[in-house]
Amino acid sequence: MTAKAKKNDGILQLSIKDDMTIYNAEALKETLLGYCRPDTRELQLDLSAVAEIDSAGLQLLLLLKAEAQRRGFILRLLRHSEAVIEVFELLKLGMYFGDPIVIPANWKKS
Amino acid sequence: MSDISPALETFSQEVDELLTAMEDALLGLEAAPDDADCINSIFRAMHTIKGSSGLFGFDDIVSFTHQVETVLDKVRNGERSIDSELIAVLLACKDHTAQIVQHVLFNEDEPLPEELQQQSQMLIAGLTGQSAAAAGVPSTQEEKADHFEVDPNTTDSSDNWVISLAFKPDALRNGMDPLSFIRYLQTLGKIVEAIITMPELLNFEDVNPQSCYLSFKIIFNSGCDKKTIEDVFEFAEDDCNIHILPPNSRQEHYLQLLDNLPEDQVKRLGEMLVEIGALTEKEVMRTLHEQWDDANDEPKPLGEMLLEKNILQQPVIEQALKKQESVKQKVNKESNYIRVDAAKLGYLINLVGELVISGAAMRLMVDKHGLSDVDDVASTMSHLVEDIRDTALQLRMVQIGETFTRFQRVVHDVSKELGKQIQLQITGGESELDKTVVEKINDPLTHLVRNSLDHGIETPAERLRAGKPEKGTIQLNAYHDSGRIVIQISDDGKGLDPDRIFAKAVAKGLIKPDQMLSKSEIYHLIFEPGLSTKEEANNLSGRGVGMDVVKRNIEALRGTVSVDSELGQGTVVTIHLPLTLAIIDGFMVEAQKERYIIPLSMVEECVEMSSEEWQIDDVQHYVNLRGQVLPYLRLGDFFHKNKKHTHTQRESLVVVRFGEAKAGFVVDELHGENQTVIKPLGKLFENLNGIGGATVLGSGDVALILDVQGLIQYARKRVNPTLALSSGI
């Protein structure tokens, strides 16, 4: 399993433990789809373990955001990893997702 | 220029033309300093000369013209204003360019002589207002393009590229990662904003995560050119639709480049846009493919498609189309002209002359043998021959305007030199005449204009005192009058003083002090050798040689010159010239079994010579032609003085006119119209009175062409002896 989930009162927490690339996009999509249930009020994605993210991964996040809006639940992205921050920076996506991004003090890129 | 290659000859001709155009434009600028056309034409002259010189490796010309061009570019962009000082320097630059060109053409391998180099530096210093040493040598077109380059640090938000990337579904599966391209793009500039779009109403459930649904719109700030940006996405081409819209500042840059595109050949819209860097080759190919695919209906024009697909802004496309149109017209116009060796043309005219003669011979034979069936064919042919003759002569006709405009420079230079203010007005420049005549009239005209400048127009102070406008005017006028061209040089200067001319002529022994002369006869004395009323000679005129040469030159062209003047009001010199020297429409008459040709354009009418009707005065030799005193001349008597003969047959009177003067020629027979090929008389007969040339008739006989003007004068003199000048004049 690439993701771990906790469930609490309609708020789902999910840690993604794998790269978000085209190679596992299919599996990831199935997993994420599994959490888009009618009783889901909020989906929290912990991205701290995402070592690599490519366009397919990014696309999944974008699609998920759109799906959340459509279904009326909240998607929160937490603890963005460096790889994710780098992509968000590149495409100025921070505002779109609207989640606070914590930049670690020891971030090498800065 | 026999010792230089044809390519260089073309180069030299081109330079000549460009420099002439530049001079015209410079002089035009004096009148209208803001005329953009003039400035452009000056710039173009320098620019083109620089370009062609670079082709031949004439570095001296390149380095000099480059400096001039740089200054002109500033003028063109409004960074520097044009004043008379700058115009004077530019005129000098034009002359100097001509000198360098002459030098390198004939001494290709030698370096520029010291004096020319110094002159170059002086002129450049005069142009730029700075030391010439600081000026560098240009090399290529790229350098020029560079200086329009947008500053890469510009942060103006409107000044950005807009890059649209629409990836195809298979992009990811094919190993494309859009993010990596965008990452690479970052190395070329700054991504100001990125907008990601996906198809709406996309159900997460139905999504294939390995397909790509993403489209990017990236606002990008960079100083790179379009090609470099496009190259970033080179590998994505197959899986992505890429549009790169240049920023607004680029747009101006493109417009400028479009303006500067050489106008030597018509290019396709796509080619032009690629050349200036507004489009890349790939974009053109793609658009053209689409155009091809759409071909079921009317395919849309490329420009429209580019606009629709938002690849380029409208102004750029419009400008490119306009440019294309103007080049098209220019090339069309150019290709309508062929340079022909004047000698070949001369040969053609000669052949046409022979054709006219042999046509007449055939006509004669047809009439003689009464071949009625050949008659029709013969008349058709003589019509054709007539057309050929007219067209062939038309080939050599040039407008006199070009000769006239050359005097703008003379007037400009001389008036500066003399401290006078003089303007030249040109009218009738479109009148056409034979090229050989134009060439030969140049020297006499120069002389007359210089005379007007020097003697005619007074200094500004004198003019103001005389109550005339400070600025003097010289007019050059040309018009056609009965088969001849009339050229007038007039000025509003101080005019000729008849008393002084008379006194001078007496002093020179040209006339006797007690001789009675009319005003116009006195004026005519200025054409006598050795007469100048100017007390001191300068380098322009006043040495008393010249007017006689002017007269001789004009008479050599079968023309005449006359002068009229009003003291204090100005002087008018009028030149009458034949339009052509080769073939004329003649009117053939016969007297004493001899045939004569009168130029048809001079014939007014033909009447019967009957004493009842015309009150012929046989002693004074005039008739009363409907109340007009008309002097007449018996051609038979005039040319065969010693022969006695009786006028038994019915005679005819041919009334001829030259200018205002009229006279009648009495002849035995009228033969009618005849195409006359003028053959010059040999040296031996050059000075015969009353004969201007000869022609060969169809029968092989020779007919003499009458010098109508001389004969009219002779006839008039006989009627009123007080008009006659002494034979010494």
Side-chain angles (χ1 to χ4, degrees):
Chain A
M1 194 65 201
T2 56
K4 259 187 194 169
K6 280 192 261 175
K7 190 183 171 188
N8 183 10
D9 199 8
I11 298 174
L12 297 171
Q13 277 195 335
L14 187 66
S15 278
I16 297 172
K17 294 290 181 196
D18 214 336
D19 291 346
M20 298 182 75
T21 59
I22 182 145
Y23 303 108
N24 47 27
E26 192 80 39
L28 197 56
K29 182 215 155 188
E30 288 308 318
T31 311
L32 290 172
L33 187 62
Y35 289 96
C36 296
R37 292 190 294 248
D39 60 339
T40 305
R41 286 201 296 116
E42 185 171 322
L43 180 60
Q44 298 182 343
L45 283 186
D46 183 336
L47 301 173
S48 59
V50 178
E52 204 183 320
I53 179 165
D54 68 0
S55 305
L58 176 69
Q59 181 174 269
L60 272 179
L61 287 178
L62 290 165
L63 287 167
L64 187 61
K65 178 80 179 174
E67 183 71 9
Q69 276 166 352
R70 213 154 54 86
R71 290 188 181 230
F73 68 83
I74 297 163
L75 175 71
R76 278 193 207 287
L77 305 179
L78 305 171
R79 301 174 65 202
H80 308 65
S81 73
E82 276 178 26
V84 176
I85 292 172
E86 192 259 335
V87 170
F88 278 26
E89 282 287 296
L90 181 66
L91 297 173
K92 326 281 175 205
L93 285 171
M95 288 293 282
Y96 175 71
F97 286 102
D99 305 298
I101 296 173
V102 182
I103 296 171
N106 61 346
W107 195 28
K108 53 192 171 192
K109 283 236 169 158
S110 64
Chain B
M1 300 219 171
S2 53
D3 55 339
I4 56 176
S5 71
L8 283 177
E9 197 161 324
T10 315
F11 168 70
S12 134
Q13 264 173 14
E14 187 193 45
V15 168
D16 271 359
E17 279 165 21
L18 285 166
L19 287 177
T20 313
M22 176 172 170
E23 184 176 285
D24 289 350
L26 275 170
L27 294 166
L29 272 184
E30 273 205 327
D34 297 323
D35 192 335
D37 281 350
C38 287
I39 297 174
N40 276 335
S41 129
I42 300 167
F43 179 84
R44 207 160 39 233
M46 278 294 126
H47 182 74
T48 315
I49 292 174
K50 182 179 104 175
S52 332
S53 307
L55 222 59
F56 288 104
F58 297 148
D59 292 339
D60 293 319
I61 308 177
V62 174
S63 63
F64 179 72
T65 47
H66 173 69
Q67 298 297 335
V68 184
E69 188 194 344
T70 312
V71 172
L72 288 170
D73 193 40
K74 282 190 185 146
V75 171
R76 214 162 57 142
N77 295 335
E79 290 168 41
R80 198 171 159 169
S81 62
I82 267 247
D83 50 24
S84 59
E85 234 170 89
L86 185 59
I87 293 176
V89 180
L90 284 172
L91 275 174
C93 287
K94 175 247 149 190
D95 291 344
H96 183 63
T97 309
Q99 278 180 358
I100 315 183
V101 169
Q102 282 308 313
H103 175 83
V104 297
L105 277 183
F106 294 102
N107 316 289
E108 206 175 322
D109 299 325
E110 289 171 35
L112 221 50
E114 191 74 353
E115 116 200 44
L116 278 181
Q117 276 181 13
Q118 273 176 3
Q119 208 181 344
S120 291
Q121 297 195 339
M122 255 167 51
L123 285 172
I124 291 166
L127 270 180
T128 55
Q130 48 162 296
S131 89
V137 178
S139 48
T140 53
Q141 195 69 29
E142 277 86 37
E143 192 182 297
K144 202 167 142 44
D146 275 345
H147 91 219
F148 297 114
E149 206 68 87
V150 189
D151 182 357
N153 299 323
T154 320
T155 46
D156 183 2
S157 63
S158 67
D159 201 23
N160 295 317
W161 296 85
V162 177
I163 303 169
S164 311
L165 304 168
F167 285 90
K168 292 178 190 162
D170 281 338
L172 297 175
R173 268 189 292 272
N174 292 340
M176 293 295 136
D177 186 357
L179 283 178
S180 61
F181 294 113
I182 298 168
R183 255 181 225 125
Y184 181 64
L185 189 65
Q186 235 183 345
T187 62
L188 297 176
K190 186 167 169 281
I191 294 174
V192 178
E193 198 152 348
I195 298 160
I196 303 173
T197 48
M198 289 180 298
E200 275 180 51
L201 301 171
L202 195 66
N203 208 324
F204 193 63
E205 234 176 306
D206 309 330
V207 160
N208 182 346
Q210 289 185 340
S211 296
C212 187
Y213 303 96
L214 300 176
S215 300
F216 297 85
K217 204 161 230 166
I218 299 167
I219 316 291
F220 186 58
N221 191 311
S222 167
C224 298
D225 62 18
K226 198 167 190 175
K227 180 87 174 66
T228 316
I229 295 176
E230 196 197 48
D231 281 350
V232 171
F233 304 100
E234 196 181 348
F235 300 110
E237 251 167 68
D238 293 340
D239 295 305
C240 180
N241 289 319
I242 307 163
H243 293 316
I244 304 172
L245 187 67
N248 285 338
S249 64
R250 282 272 154 178
Q251 192 180 324
E252 278 161 34
H253 167 63
Y254 291 146
L255 292 180
Q256 211 151 8
L257 286 176
L258 268 179
D259 253 354
N260 293 348
L261 271 187
E263 302 196 328
D264 45 0
Q265 51 175 320
V266 184
K267 291 201 180 103
R268 287 153 194 263
L269 182 65
E271 284 176 59
M272 287 170 70
L273 291 169
V274 169
E275 196 164 318
I276 62 165
L279 271 188
T280 59
E281 237 159 279
K282 280 168 197 152
E283 284 172 330
V284 176
M285 292 309 291
R286 217 161 36 225
T287 318
L288 285 177
H289 267 300
E290 278 167 44
Q291 195 180 33
W292 184 250
D293 290 343
D294 281 358
N296 44 7
D297 297 322
E298 277 281 290
K300 277 185 195 155
L302 182 66
E304 214 168 286
M305 291 190 71
L306 289 174
L307 207 59
E308 222 165 72
K309 290 157 66 69
N310 218 4
I311 293 174
L312 262 184
Q313 288 96 334
Q314 190 166 5
V316 178
I317 294 173
E318 274 173 11
Q319 178 80 6
L321 287 171
K322 236 187 267 169
K323 175 86 179 182
Q324 192 183 28
E325 193 55 37
S326 81
V327 173
K328 230 183 248 171
Q329 281 174 357
K330 201 172 160 222
V331 169
N332 276 348
K333 205 171 150 200
E334 270 172 6
S335 59
N336 281 343
Y337 287 103
I338 306 172
R339 279 183 199 280
V340 181
D341 189 354
K344 281 186 195 163
L345 210 52
Y347 185 58
L348 174 71
I349 305 266
N350 275 342
L351 281 181
V352 171
E354 297 300 326
L355 183 65
V356 169
I357 292 173
S358 74
M362 189 187 71
R363 179 87 248 163
L364 210 71
M365 295 310 276
V366 171
D367 288 348
K368 188 173 155 194
H369 296 289
L371 304 166
S372 57
D373 45 348
V374 188
D375 198 59
D376 279 350
V377 188
S379 357
T380 315
M381 211 191 78
S382 41
H383 274 298
L384 286 174
V385 169
E386 240 169 82
D387 286 351
I388 290 174
R389 179 199 68 168
D390 290 345
T391 320
L393 286 179
Q394 201 64 46
L395 288 180
R396 295 217 305 202
M397 291 295 190
V398 290
Q399 296 193 347
I400 198 166
E402 204 188 319
T403 313
F404 278 2
T405 42
R406 272 188 224 155
F407 290 109
Q408 291 280 16
R409 180 71 190 269
V410 176
V411 170
H412 175 268
D413 287 356
V414 173
S415 58
K416 276 250 160 75
E417 207 174 300
L418 295 172
K420 295 178 180 178
Q421 291 186 20
I422 301 167
Q423 58 173 343
L424 181 68
Q425 282 179 357
I426 292 171
T427 43
E430 67 287 341
S431 312
E432 287 189 327
L433 73 168
D434 197 291
K435 178 129 172 62
T436 45
V437 182
V438 169
E439 278 163 5
K440 287 180 181 152
I441 197 66
N442 199 25
D443 280 351
L445 267 186
T446 312
H447 201 93
L448 291 169
V449 169
R450 278 175 171 256
N451 254 331
S452 280
L453 288 167
D454 194 23
H455 301 295
I457 307 279
E458 315 91 324
T459 60
E462 281 172 333
R463 289 185 64 86
L464 286 175
R465 230 177 295 141
K468 290 196 253 188
E470 202 180 352
K471 202 168 200 175
T473 306
I474 292 182
Q475 277 186 317
L476 282 174
N477 185 24
Y479 58 91
H480 285 242
D481 179 43
S482 58
R484 297 168 80 84
I485 188 165
V486 183
I487 301 170
Q488 281 181 321
I489 304 104
S490 51
D491 63 61
D492 62 350
K494 58 182 170 240
L496 296 171
D497 185 346
D499 298 340
R500 274 176 72 189
I501 297 172
F502 192 85
K504 197 91 185 178
V506 171
K508 291 264 172 191
L510 293 169
I511 48 173
K512 296 187 187 75
D514 56 349
Q515 215 162 342
M516 287 296 291
L517 292 177
S518 74
K519 219 168 164 189
S520 71
E521 282 160 1
I522 294 175
Y523 290 146
H524 211 77
L525 285 173
I526 65 167
F527 294 111
E528 294 306 316
L531 196 109
S532 170
T533 51
K534 182 101 174 171
E535 301 302 336
E536 269 173 56
N538 61 11
N539 63 348
L540 285 175
S541 51
R543 291 200 191 83
V545 287
M547 287 308 260
D548 59 319
V549 179
V550 169
K551 188 180 179 210
R552 219 171 36 235
N553 283 346
I554 290 170
E555 281 177 350
L557 297 170
R558 293 193 291 119
T560 57
V561 58
S562 65
V563 62
D564 192 18
S565 178
E566 195 66 47
L567 191 59
Q569 298 297 310
T571 310
V572 184
V573 180
T574 309
I575 299 171
H576 285 254
L577 283 174
L579 287 183
T580 172
L581 302 174
I583 306 175
I584 55 169
D585 274 319
F587 186 76
M588 188 155 59
V589 296
E590 192 175 318
Q592 295 289 314
K593 305 267 179 274
E594 200 69 69
R595 292 188 181 208
Y596 302 99
I597 305 278
I598 304 167
L600 187 64
S601 56
M602 294 179 169
V603 175
E604 284 262 293
E605 58 179 327
C606 300
V607 293
E608 194 188 338
M609 186 73 172
S610 85
S611 35
E612 296 95 64
E613 221 174 318
W614 304 124
Q615 306 168 349
I616 299 168
D617 183 334
D618 248 333
V619 187
Q620 294 261 11
H621 290 97
Y622 68 81
V623 295
N624 177 357
L625 182 73
R626 293 183 288 266
Q628 241 187 329
V629 177
L630 185 79
Y632 74 88
L633 199 67
R634 281 184 195 279
L635 285 186
D637 292 351
F638 181 78
F639 289 112
H640 303 272
K641 275 178 188 152
N642 302 327
K643 270 194 200 166
K644 274 275 162 217
H645 57 272
T646 45
H647 312 296
T648 46
Q649 343 161 225
R650 202 181 67 171
E651 289 178 311
S652 300
L653 180 71
V654 182
V655 181
V656 292
R657 183 178 75 95
F658 177 77
E660 294 301 305
K662 274 188 186 181
F665 295 154
V666 179
V667 298
D668 298 339
E669 223 176 304
L670 302 173
H671 285 285
E673 255 185 81
N674 175 286
Q675 290 189 54
T676 310
V677 183
I678 300 177
K679 302 271 180 193
L681 291 169
K683 280 262 179 241
L684 203 56
F685 307 107
E686 240 173 25
N687 296 320
L688 281 182
N689 280 336
I691 292 175
T695 188
V696 182
L697 298 176
S699 57
D701 290 338
V702 170
L704 296 172
I705 301 168
L706 298 180
D707 168 20
V708 173
Q709 178 202 350
L711 289 173
I712 291 178
Q713 267 172 13
Y714 176 78
R716 293 179 76 87
K717 262 189 245 170
R718 265 203 331 196
V719 169
N720 187 353
T722 53
L723 276 174
L725 292 171
S726 73
S727 57
I729 293 172

